[in-house]
Amino acid sequence: MLESKILVFDSLASDYDAWFEEGGRLIFASEVEALRQTLSLLPKPWIEVGVGSGRFAQALGIDIGLDPSSKLLEMARNRGINVFLGSGEEASFQGGVFGTVFFVVTLCFVDSPMRTLGEAARLLESQGKVVLGLVLKESPWGQLYQREKERGHRFYRYATFYSYAEVDTLLKQTGFSIEKVVSTLFQHPGELNHIELPRQGFSVDAGFTVILAGKPRSR
């Protein structure tokens, strides 16, 4: 991750974390419910790349987290996560040691999604999984965040939003195949007033999409 990006997340770490209990409370709760739909299918041990302040890891029971922001990692550590400083493009772990790698609203912020997913493939055991939590660019929420990015939003200006088709291609190119998709946030921006129950499958109308992809069996 570019140094300027890291500095922004370091300097705004408290604001970033506070969002989960303020304006983002219903969004976060809905996203967690969608991610939970995959948990029974996932081999352990688990790691979240881009763990941030540890909100998702704590809610989902993920023990290990990696992030380039030392300030956010302090918060994740205080939430009981075993944290490591580093980037998804070059993780300092041996290969084949994890059962599942999570990327929750992370892929849009990495410098190279191809390299990041390739590194996830290296970290995973032979039949390991990746779980992606995504705001896709064709969704109403993705379109909103894209407009905010263009206006210079303090976080979203560093984000690159991808379509479902683009993510599918990235996964295939790094040796993964999609096994399960879950969608949530069908309430449009400005209309969110309750926690949603997730729906199975991909929908262009969903603001948050969870993709579980598997690493094929070794020949």
Side-chain angles (χ1 to χ4, degrees):
M1 185 179 283
L2 294 174
E3 186 175 353
S4 58
K5 227 186 282 190
I6 298 169
L7 289 173
V8 166
F9 279 96
D10 275 346
S11 64
L12 298 173
S14 295
D15 290 344
Y16 169 86
D17 187 64
W19 175 87
F20 288 89
E21 292 183 358
E22 297 171 358
R25 184 178 62 83
L26 294 177
I27 295 173
F28 172 63
S30 296
E31 291 172 346
V32 166
E33 287 303 311
L35 287 158
R36 282 180 176 150
Q37 299 295 303
T38 68
L39 299 187
S40 65
L41 305 173
L42 305 178
K44 291 189 176 183
W46 297 346
I47 181 172
E48 184 181 356
V49 173
V51 70
S53 60
R55 293 278 186 174
F56 283 102
Q58 182 184 48
L60 299 171
I62 302 169
D63 295 327
I64 302 170
L66 178 74
D67 202 278
S69 169
S70 59
K71 296 296 185 183
L72 289 174
L73 285 183
E74 288 177 16
M75 296 178 179
R77 184 182 294 109
N78 289 335
R79 292 192 167 98
I81 313 304
N82 186 15
V83 301
F84 296 86
L85 185 68
S87 71
E89 287 93 342
E90 193 172 351
S92 55
F93 298 99
Q94 289 184 331
V97 296
F98 292 104
T100 303
V101 177
F102 290 79
F103 297 95
V104 184
V105 197
T106 296
L107 204 66
C108 61
F109 286 110
V110 302
D111 297 330
S112 172
M114 179 78 74
R115 187 175 171 191
T116 300
L117 289 171
E119 183 70 347
R122 184 188 71 80
L123 294 177
L124 287 169
E125 62 187 20
S126 61
Q127 296 180 51
K129 313 289 185 184
V130 291
V131 175
L132 307 177
L134 303 154
V135 178
L136 296 171
K137 71 179 182 183
E138 60 262 66
S139 73
W141 290 86
Q143 293 171 26
L144 169 65
Y145 295 158
Q146 180 63 36
R147 291 193 296 271
E148 293 189 357
K149 167 188 170 75
E150 292 164 1
R151 296 188 190 109
H153 187 279
R154 55 186 178 172
F155 292 124
Y156 298 134
R157 61 179 167 153
Y158 295 105
T160 300
F161 299 102
Y162 301 97
S163 69
Y164 182 87
E166 288 170 333
V167 174
D168 185 25
T169 297
L170 284 167
L171 287 166
K172 287 175 179 174
Q173 290 175 339
T174 48
F176 294 100
S177 57
I178 294 176
E179 297 178 355
K180 184 180 179 71
V181 180
V182 182
S183 300
T184 193
L185 290 184
F186 289 90
Q187 299 167 85
H188 283 200
E191 301 174 2
L192 189 67
N193 58 31
H194 64 273
I195 299 170
E196 288 189 16
L197 294 177
R199 306 181 195 176
Q200 299 299 311
F202 165 68
S203 172
V204 70
D205 296 320
F208 186 73
T209 302
V210 177
I211 298 177
L212 185 158
K215 191 176 176 183
R217 294 175 182 270
S218 301
R219 289 186 177 89

